[in-house]
Amino acid sequence: MPMLTDPSERYLPFKAVPFPNRTWPDKVNKKAPIWLSTDLRDGNQSLANPMTNQQKTRFFRHLVQLGFKEIEVSYPAASDTDFQFCRDLQNNGEVPDDVWIQVLTPARADLIKRTFEAVAGLKHVIIHMYNATSCLFREVVFNNDREETIKLASEHTALVRELAERYAASHGTSFRFEYSPETFSQTETEYAVEVCEAVKKTWLAGEKSVWADGRQEERIIFNLPATVEVATPNCFADQVSCAVAAAELGILAGADRIEGTVLGNGERTGNVDLVTLGLNCYSQGFSPNLDFSDMFSIIDTVTECTGLPVHPRHPYAGELVFTAFSGSHQDAIKKGLEAQTKRENSGDKVWSIPYLPIDPADVGCTYEAVIRVNSQSGKGGIAYIVKSALALDLPRRMQIAFYKVIQQRSEATGKEMTSKDITTAFRQTYHLGGSIYDGRLVLKSFVTVDIRSAVPSAVGTPSLSPDRSRSHGRIDSITGITAEPSPDRSLDSNLPSASKRLTAKVLIDGALREISGEGNGPLSSFLDALQGDLGITLSIREYTEHAVGAGSDVKAATYVELIPPNVDAKDKTKGGFWGVGVDADITASGLKAVISAANDYLGQNSVQIADSA
């Protein structure tokens, strides 16, 4: 894909806020700032293979040796590994008395509580809470308005304060609070101030707070992150009065020529990077008059000629620069890509996706590398990979169920899960895609009969191969049904009970058996057969379907969640057993989904299958 001649068709420049009375350009730094290392948290999150706790402990000791007095160590609620690292620091006495430990949590009550459990007993702790505030995140990712976002930040700040008071009294911990309006650089400046003022008011409850130990707290830490670089540095400097890049400011001051190198090679710390500067221009909607559309050839040339590697996180050119491992990042990108597709289908070409300031395709990168999965990842990224690789759009609660499968495997290995690893795990878990993935139950064929007229209404020989025999006769469609209203009602039709009979041939632990049952449709009849002939008692709690492909090749993908009798269908905090089926015949697709979920049930429970009579 060639770079655009006129990037303004796709990229809109950042709208700077008028700030005529600025004083920051005249200031001179006279002392070092307070340093905080986030190597063990944000740095670790960005690794394809996150550090083990043994490695993190070694790194922590070295940071202390270097003189860091504030160290962000983990996101304790993200995984058992991160949680345990905090406990190890406490239990092993690793933290000097003058070092503050910082931990990250989103503005979510259950995760905040888990975070406090992780730091219990540590002497000095900074609780770092965040929520995204930019318009793009409010509208696309979270579907919140301005007032709801402020309320979210304030209410969870109050919870942090409440728990901090409690743990200070019970464990003697000194707490500080840091708040990040994530995506600050993309947030309307006046609104960012409004959010921060609300958080400050809640935390301090006035100008000064007195803790149970008599300490007076007069400060709150506001971290104002340039989560995604979207403007020239002077705009960000106007927002927070920060240090800025000399080359871009030099251009603003009147320079018309810059000397540098491609990818920044040079003596000592290198020269200014022309790829970075050029694509910064491109992202703002004007052409750099340089062609970076084949970034891989540029990298090959530079590395082969200089012998120097390109850093994986190098701006625009690094192998991982467009890659997200973090679950919340993946979820935002997934939703952003979906919203982008809708906009482009309506003729709007402007690029606007969280965490991706430019389209990776513009510099020759593919979307396959955008979302990758490790133990830090979430359900959104895993669902994105399943959808991309298998064209299966998983229901949200099935995403959660499969996410647990992948997280367990990833934490067990401590390594990145590739797209192939994830799709293989999906096929293994839900017995999809051929005989090598078969479970204890395999549907070989079925016949449905309308009991009222005793006429066969459907005959099926389910198979994923394109030349399979199609079902014939009348098949009652279940298209459009998305949920069963109650566990004792069939999903298939509104006919009276026992209007259908289904007879199916099923491989059971390798032996072929014929089972039959009655209901008001194929699925309820099949469930009746599983109960009556095999002693497997399950009912459907959730059902969804969608088309896969188009035209003559279209198939139906069906998802069901089955629950045993001891699970309340309305209590969705107690998970059921999910299954998926894909077939050109919609009835066969549904039956395959039931078999898939039944295999999931058998795999997680010690169930004796009834012998044939």
Side-chain angles (χ1 to χ4, degrees):
M1 176 177 176
M3 290 176 63
L4 302 174
T5 304
D6 181 11
S8 65
E9 295 178 357
R10 192 165 175 82
Y11 303 108
L12 300 180
F14 180 83
K15 294 181 180 178
V17 177
F19 187 23
N21 299 318
R22 63 180 57 84
T23 59
W24 61 262
D26 297 326
K27 293 184 177 180
V28 177
N29 287 334
K30 294 184 178 180
K31 65 176 182 178
I34 297 171
W35 302 110
L36 173 128
S37 165
T38 187
D39 293 271
L40 304 179
R41 204 283 301 171
D42 191 75
N44 187 55
Q45 175 181 288
S46 68
L47 302 178
N49 298 316
M51 289 180 277
T52 65
N53 280 358
Q54 183 179 7
Q55 291 169 318
K56 289 179 72 173
T57 299
R58 177 183 175 185
F59 206 151
F60 177 83
R61 291 171 179 168
H62 193 69
L63 292 171
V64 170
Q65 183 180 346
L66 291 174
F68 283 94
K69 301 302 181 185
E70 296 184 4
I71 302 172
E72 189 169 59
V73 297
S74 75
Y75 179 164
S79 68
D80 291 341
T81 303
D82 272 16
F83 183 93
Q84 188 58 45
F85 181 61
C86 289
R87 301 313 308 147
D88 290 346
L89 291 177
Q90 160 63 14
N91 295 334
N92 299 331
E94 292 285 351
V95 186
D97 288 346
D98 61 345
V99 172
W100 286 76
I101 295 302
Q102 182 163 300
V103 285
L104 182 73
T105 178
R108 218 178 90 180
D110 57 332
L111 302 186
I112 290 172
K113 293 175 183 177
R114 178 71 169 166
T115 299
F116 273 88
E117 293 171 2
V119 300
L122 289 169
K123 187 169 185 179
H124 299 302
V125 175
I126 302 170
I127 302 294
H128 179 190
M129 187 189 82
Y130 72 91
N131 66 291
T133 57
S134 68
C135 181
L136 180 60
F137 271 71
R138 295 195 308 264
E139 294 181 355
V140 174
V141 181
F142 298 113
N143 195 27
N144 283 343
D145 59 24
R146 286 186 171 207
E147 290 71 25
E148 290 170 326
T149 301
I150 292 176
K151 182 180 179 182
L152 176 75
S154 298
E155 289 182 348
H156 288 86
T157 297
L159 176 60
V160 172
R161 180 72 197 203
E162 175 190 340
L163 292 172
E165 290 280 8
R166 186 189 308 170
Y167 277 76
S170 62
H171 293 84
T173 303
S174 296
F175 285 100
R176 290 177 184 164
F177 182 53
E178 175 174 340
Y179 173 68
S180 286
E182 191 193 9
T183 66
F184 165 79
S185 55
Q186 294 172 290
T187 302
E188 308 90 327
T189 303
E190 76 285 356
Y191 178 65
V193 172
E194 188 178 352
V195 175
C196 290
E197 287 291 351
V199 168
K200 178 182 177 181
K201 181 179 179 181
T202 302
W203 175 255
L204 297 180
E207 293 299 319
K208 185 180 297 185
S209 292
V210 180
W211 292 84
D213 60 4
R215 283 188 306 117
Q216 289 187 333
E217 181 66 69
E218 301 179 10
R219 301 180 61 196
I220 180 173
I221 303 170
F222 285 112
N223 178 42
L224 306 177
T227 308
V228 179
E229 295 286 358
V230 295
T232 50
N234 64 302
C235 295
F236 191 76
D238 278 348
Q239 291 175 302
V240 296
S241 300
C242 67
V244 292
E248 288 183 308
L249 281 183
I251 294 176
L252 296 174
D256 60 7
R257 182 174 181 272
I258 288 199
E259 294 185 0
T261 59
V262 174
L263 302 181
N265 177 39
E267 289 186 321
R268 298 174 295 279
T269 58
N271 291 293
V272 68
D273 183 346
L274 299 182
V275 168
T276 300
L277 284 177
L279 289 174
N280 281 351
C281 296
Y282 185 74
S283 72
Q284 295 302 297
F286 61 97
S287 176
N289 296 319
L290 297 169
D291 186 4
F292 299 130
S293 58
D294 188 356
M295 187 60 68
F296 294 108
S297 68
I298 296 173
I299 295 170
D300 289 342
T301 299
V302 171
T303 55
E304 289 173 11
C305 291
T306 65
L308 294 175
V310 175
H311 193 281
R313 297 288 179 184
H314 188 287
Y316 299 112
E319 177 188 0
L320 300 178
V321 71
F322 294 117
T323 299
F325 289 103
S326 163
S328 60
H329 294 189
Q330 293 174 343
D331 183 60
I333 292 172
K334 174 180 176 288
K335 292 175 180 176
L337 288 169
E338 291 169 352
Q340 180 74 25
T341 300
K342 292 179 181 178
R343 287 195 303 272
E344 292 186 350
N345 289 339
S346 65
D348 184 355
K349 298 181 180 179
V350 173
W351 179 263
S352 183
I353 291 185
Y355 300 114
L356 297 178
I358 70 168
D359 186 345
D362 286 1
V363 291
C365 296
T366 66
Y367 292 118
E368 293 179 1
V370 170
I371 291 180
R372 290 164 62 176
V373 172
N374 60 19
S375 60
Q376 307 288 312
S377 304
K379 65 181 184 300
I382 294 167
Y384 172 85
I385 290 175
V386 172
K387 185 176 181 179
S388 299
L390 302 177
L392 298 177
D393 193 2
L394 307 185
R396 181 180 180 278
R397 294 181 57 255
M398 189 177 185
Q399 293 179 24
I400 295 172
F402 184 55
Y403 160 72
K404 293 177 181 178
V405 173
I406 294 301
Q407 189 175 50
Q408 288 174 355
R409 295 193 183 196
S410 181
E411 288 189 347
T413 63
K415 296 182 179 180
E416 177 186 357
M417 296 286 288
T418 66
S419 176
K420 183 178 180 181
D421 292 335
I422 292 168
T423 54
T424 298
F426 186 86
R427 294 183 186 279
Q428 291 171 340
T429 302
Y430 301 109
H431 311 287
L432 177 74
S435 59
I436 62 171
Y437 301 112
D438 283 348
R440 294 182 64 188
L441 306 180
V442 182
L443 179 64
K444 302 301 291 184
S445 65
F446 67 90
V447 177
T448 62
V449 175
D450 189 327
I451 296 175
R452 294 169 303 177
S453 61
V455 174
S457 60
V459 180
T461 308
S463 170
L464 288 180
S465 61
D467 59 345
R468 58 168 294 276
S469 300
R470 295 294 185 95
S471 298
H472 61 81
R474 185 168 63 84
I475 299 176
D476 291 305
S477 174
I478 49 179
T479 304
I481 303 296
T482 58
E484 185 175 21
S486 65
D488 60 345
R489 287 185 60 191
S490 168
L491 211 59
D492 308 293
S493 71
N494 294 319
L495 296 173
S497 179
S499 62
K500 298 282 186 186
R501 179 184 297 116
L502 179 141
T503 301
K505 291 184 178 180
V506 180
L507 276 178
I508 303 172
D509 296 329
L512 187 64
R513 284 178 59 181
E514 184 173 277
I515 63 175
S516 64
E518 296 179 358
N520 61 0
L523 298 193
S524 57
S525 301
F526 195 32
L527 289 169
D528 183 58
L530 292 177
Q531 179 178 353
D533 290 345
L534 304 183
I536 301 172
T537 304
L538 297 166
S539 61
I540 295 177
R541 174 158 67 184
E542 187 168 328
Y543 172 100
T544 58
E545 65 180 41
H546 65 78
V548 177
S552 60
D553 294 328
V554 68
K555 294 183 179 181
T558 303
Y559 311 90
V560 297
E561 183 189 22
L562 301 184
I563 55 173
N566 62 339
V567 174
D568 183 354
K570 296 180 180 179
D571 182 9
K572 295 190 176 181
T573 61
K574 294 183 179 179
F577 303 92
W578 282 93
V580 58
V582 179
D583 199 278
D585 181 311
I586 194 170
T587 301
S589 174
L591 297 177
K592 286 181 177 180
V594 170
I595 278 284
S596 171
N599 276 311
D600 188 22
Y601 168 71
L602 293 174
Q604 296 188 43
N605 296 273
S606 299
V607 177
Q608 182 70 34
I609 298 177
D611 294 331
S612 58

